[in-house]
Amino acid sequence: MATASVAFKSREDHRKQIELEEARKAGLAPAEVDEDGKEINPHIPQYMSSAPWYLNAERPSLKHQRKWKSDPNYTKSWYDRGAKIFQADKYRKGACENCGAMTHDAKSCMERPRRVGAKWTNKHIAPDEKIETFELDYDGKRDRWNGYDASTYARVIERYEARDEARKKYLKEQQLKKLEKSNQNGEEDAASDEDEEEDDLRVDEAKVDESKQMDFAKVEKRVRTTGGGSTGTVRNLRIREDTAKYLLNLEVNSAHYDPKTRSMREDPLPDADPNEKFYGGDNQYRNSGQALEFKELNIHAWEAFDKGQDVHMQAAPSQAELLYKNFKVMKEKLKSQTKDTIVEKYGNAADEDKLPRELLLGQSERQVEYDRAGRIIKGQEAALPRSKYEEDVYINNHTTVWGSWWRDHQWGYKCCKQTIRNSYCTGAAGIEAAEAASDLMKANIARKEAAAEDPTPTEEKKLATWGTDVPDDIVLDDKLLAEALKKEDQRKREEKDERKRKYNVRWNDEVTAEDMEAYRMKRVHHDDPMKDFLH
């Protein structure tokens, strides 16, 4: 099927989508319709029917498979053969020296070369041709019949008709000559060979043998064989005088016809007399005869393979058929043993009290056929779909059903306005309590928002980083702390390399709180597991 966009689907929706696609392929459901109202073939693969994501297709369509971007510059017209534009009276400068036309020169002139050209005689000036240029598309450039005039084929028909008339005239003259010759000689009885020749002359060659016309059901076709091309005869499956199956019932809601596979699964005339109709749908043949037996054989092979048996219908068909026969024999034997055991224990009431013969013969039941999915094929009208959930069932003391109330994108019960599915009904008291709780929650939210709008100012304090003996009321300056850290780094570099120490060294014994903090931050802590990564 053609999907508009790839969206997330639940497992239930995915299962329903697969069932709908299978029903469309089987002909049980109408085909999907695109934007233009055309039916989409359900047998088209998904990689062809799915539109690319960048097209943003909202509805299923196959427009992305067609040529929907047409170039307006392309044309399908052709040259106007023999068209003339202007007839000059005298020679013009730059015209053809031979004929006098302005549309070509003397080198490309197609007229007979004159002894004295029109340039010097100034007579018989040829008219100007119509020059056209076309921009053709890919197909137009390679079209062999582009510009062909279909009316020219009438000349071919006239030529063949003239030949047939001449042949008929000649045959009639020959026949008259033979009759005159026979009358002059006085021969009343001509020879048998002469009679055959006269009969051959009277035969019209355009006639077709009537035996060939009557053999309408026989079609001669070439059939390829392993020997290298032999002729064979293929019989048509339907006589051409019979009504096509898609014309049996022209109602809109009748059986669906798939033109690609030429299949109509349902019966087009379900209410007609079975003795009078010759076609009852393709399912009539699929669910009867050897087709049904072959289907049961395949199902048995699949089930046996799922249960662990090494059986495959395509790999070993004889083995699968033999196992199926043995399975049927064992099944019938087990069924008969079970029946005998039950009859022996409880007795058989069916043999003792038989129904009267007039009741048995008086009953009449209409035949009903089902497909593998349990859907009705024919026999009675399709029932309207019903919900699989129970309706009008009240649980947990509720007086309304679930889904009778909607609020804030949630379903609930109308009797108590609860949004929990398995909740117990509290009635009007529950509604009042819920409203009171909602009002209280709104008041708390409003109070919290009002408190957030007027925050109390707090002073930020830069506390010391290292040491436990530092007073709590100490405040550090960020600029002085940065300078102290630089001094501490310079001191450590001088300790490592004394060559960087200057001769005139001044010591300052005044130690500030920032210097102590810088010392504490830069010193090595032997208990720190990350000490090797600090410096």
Side-chain angles (χ1 to χ4, degrees):
M1 62 172 287
T3 55
S5 61
V6 182
F8 176 75
K9 295 181 180 179
S10 62
R11 183 177 298 178
E12 185 69 19
D13 296 339
H14 185 66
R15 183 183 62 79
K16 291 181 180 179
Q17 183 69 22
I18 292 176
E19 289 181 357
L20 180 59
E21 291 178 0
E22 293 296 333
R24 283 173 178 165
K25 291 180 181 179
L28 301 176
E32 198 171 9
V33 181
D34 61 358
E35 297 176 353
D36 301 333
K38 299 178 181 179
E39 293 185 354
I40 299 177
N41 195 329
H43 298 279
I44 295 178
Q46 186 179 8
Y47 72 91
M48 294 175 62
S49 61
S50 298
W53 59 269
Y54 50 82
L55 291 182
N56 295 326
E58 297 180 355
R59 294 190 58 189
S61 175
L62 293 178
K63 190 178 293 184
H64 60 280
Q65 293 289 347
R66 305 186 184 97
K67 184 181 179 182
W68 54 280
K69 286 186 177 180
S70 59
D71 195 341
N73 297 327
Y74 291 153
T75 179
K76 293 186 179 179
S77 57
W78 198 245
Y79 301 100
D80 192 2
R81 300 180 185 273
K84 307 298 181 182
I85 300 177
F86 177 72
Q87 177 69 47
D89 297 334
K90 60 181 181 178
Y91 181 79
R92 294 160 292 176
K93 185 179 179 180
C96 178
E97 297 178 356
N98 185 39
C99 64
M102 288 290 294
T103 52
H104 61 271
D105 55 0
K107 188 176 181 180
S108 59
C109 184
M110 300 299 294
E111 283 196 7
R112 176 183 58 84
R114 303 179 185 181
R115 179 176 296 178
V116 181
K119 179 179 179 181
W120 295 276
T121 60
N122 212 8
K123 295 180 180 179
H124 304 290
I125 303 297
D128 298 340
E129 295 93 350
K130 185 179 180 181
I131 304 299
E132 295 178 294
T133 55
F134 300 109
E135 186 176 357
L136 302 176
D137 56 354
Y138 182 85
D139 295 331
K141 293 177 182 178
R142 291 157 179 80
D143 189 4
R144 296 176 56 195
W145 299 96
N146 197 353
Y148 174 73
D149 188 6
S151 61
T152 57
Y153 191 73
R155 302 174 187 173
V156 182
I157 298 175
E158 291 175 359
R159 185 171 70 251
Y160 277 92
E161 287 179 352
R163 190 189 66 177
D164 293 341
E165 291 292 335
R167 178 180 293 178
K168 290 179 182 180
K169 186 177 181 181
Y170 173 74
L171 291 175
K172 192 172 183 180
E173 290 176 356
Q174 293 293 329
Q175 186 178 3
L176 290 175
K177 287 180 181 180
K178 285 184 177 289
L179 290 175
E180 291 176 357
K181 187 177 181 180
S182 62
N183 290 333
Q184 290 175 3
N185 296 333
E187 296 178 357
E188 297 179 356
D189 298 332
S192 61
D193 55 346
E194 294 179 356
D195 294 340
E196 291 178 359
E197 291 179 359
E198 291 177 1
D199 293 338
D200 293 339
L201 293 174
R202 296 190 188 98
V203 172
D204 188 1
E205 295 182 357
K207 281 190 175 182
V208 182
D209 190 6
E210 294 182 357
S211 62
K212 294 182 180 180
Q213 290 183 355
M214 293 300 293
D215 196 6
F216 52 83
K218 185 177 181 181
V219 177
E220 295 290 342
K221 294 181 181 179
R222 293 193 62 85
V223 181
R224 293 182 181 179
T225 59
T226 56
S230 175
T231 58
T233 303
V234 180
R235 295 281 179 177
N236 268 346
L237 300 178
R238 179 175 66 84
I239 302 175
R240 292 302 167 187
E241 282 75 9
D242 291 342
T243 306
K245 53 187 175 183
Y246 54 83
L247 297 177
L248 294 175
N249 192 349
L250 299 179
E251 294 183 2
V252 179
N253 298 325
S254 61
H256 175 68
Y257 175 74
D258 186 12
K260 182 176 182 180
T261 58
R262 299 180 182 178
S263 62
M264 182 181 287
R265 308 300 175 90
E266 298 182 358
D267 188 2
L269 301 171
D271 299 330
D273 189 4
N275 298 325
E276 294 181 358
K277 59 183 179 181
F278 63 93
Y279 179 75
D282 295 343
N283 289 328
Q284 182 180 3
Y285 307 107
R286 295 191 175 193
N287 298 323
S288 62
Q290 295 182 352
L292 188 59
E293 297 178 0
F294 183 72
K295 189 187 299 182
E296 294 176 354
L297 177 59
N298 277 328
I299 294 173
H300 175 263
W302 297 338
E303 292 178 352
F305 182 78
D306 292 339
K307 292 179 181 179
Q309 296 187 12
D310 189 9
V311 57
H312 198 278
M313 186 60 195
Q314 282 72 30
S318 301
Q319 178 188 6
E321 188 174 1
L322 183 60
L323 288 175
Y324 182 56
K325 288 182 179 179
N326 295 337
F327 169 73
K328 289 196 294 183
V329 172
M330 294 296 294
K331 184 178 180 181
E332 292 294 333
K333 185 176 180 181
L334 182 61
K335 188 185 293 185
S336 61
Q337 289 180 358
T338 307
K339 183 178 179 181
D340 294 341
T341 304
I342 294 173
V343 169
E344 183 180 357
K345 186 174 182 179
Y346 299 102
N348 190 0
D351 294 339
E352 297 175 358
D353 300 330
K354 292 184 178 181
L355 294 175
R357 189 175 182 82
E358 56 273 9
L359 291 179
L360 293 174
L361 297 177
Q363 294 178 355
S364 60
E365 295 182 358
R366 189 174 181 180
Q367 184 180 2
V368 180
E369 294 185 6
Y370 299 88
D371 59 357
R372 292 179 60 185
R375 293 182 288 267
I376 297 176
I377 299 174
K378 67 174 185 177
Q380 71 181 42
E381 297 180 356
L384 296 175
R386 296 182 60 187
S387 175
K388 66 179 181 179
Y389 301 102
E390 296 179 346
E391 298 180 0
D392 298 335
V393 176
Y394 307 113
I395 59 174
N396 295 336
N397 201 28
H398 289 284
T399 57
T400 56
V401 296
W402 167 260
S404 58
W405 186 63
W406 169 265
R407 185 177 180 181
D408 296 337
H409 304 281
Q410 288 183 341
W411 294 104
Y413 295 98
K414 188 178 181 180
C415 55
C416 57
K417 295 184 180 180
Q418 296 195 47
T419 58
I420 301 175
R421 179 70 180 272
N422 296 327
S423 62
Y424 192 81
C425 183
T426 56
I431 296 175
E432 294 177 358
E435 291 177 353
S438 178
D439 296 339
L440 182 60
M441 184 181 295
K442 291 179 181 178
N444 293 335
I445 293 173
R447 186 172 64 255
K448 187 175 182 181
E449 291 178 353
E453 291 177 356
D454 299 330
T456 57
T458 56
E459 296 181 357
E460 296 183 358
K461 294 183 179 181
K462 182 66 176 180
L463 301 178
T465 306
W466 299 98
T468 57
D469 55 348
V470 179
D472 296 336
D473 57 348
I474 188 171
V475 178
L476 300 177
D477 190 0
D478 293 339
K479 294 183 179 180
L480 297 177
L481 181 60
E483 293 178 358
L485 288 172
K486 289 181 181 180
K487 291 179 181 179
E488 185 67 21
D489 291 337
Q490 185 177 0
R491 188 183 66 80
K492 285 184 175 294
R493 284 196 299 270
E494 292 176 356
E495 288 180 357
K496 291 181 180 179
D497 191 1
E498 294 184 355
R499 291 177 299 177
K500 293 183 179 180
R501 188 177 61 177
K502 298 179 180 180
Y503 292 102
N504 299 326
V505 181
R506 293 182 179 180
W507 295 96
N508 188 6
D509 296 335
E510 296 179 0
V511 180
T512 61
E514 286 79 4
D515 295 338
M516 288 300 298
E517 183 66 18
Y519 170 74
R520 295 189 188 97
M521 292 174 66
K522 292 294 183 177
R523 72 175 180 177
V524 179
H525 298 271
H526 298 282
D527 297 336
D528 190 359
M530 301 294 290
K531 64 180 179 179
D532 296 333
F533 300 95
L534 294 176
H535 303 288

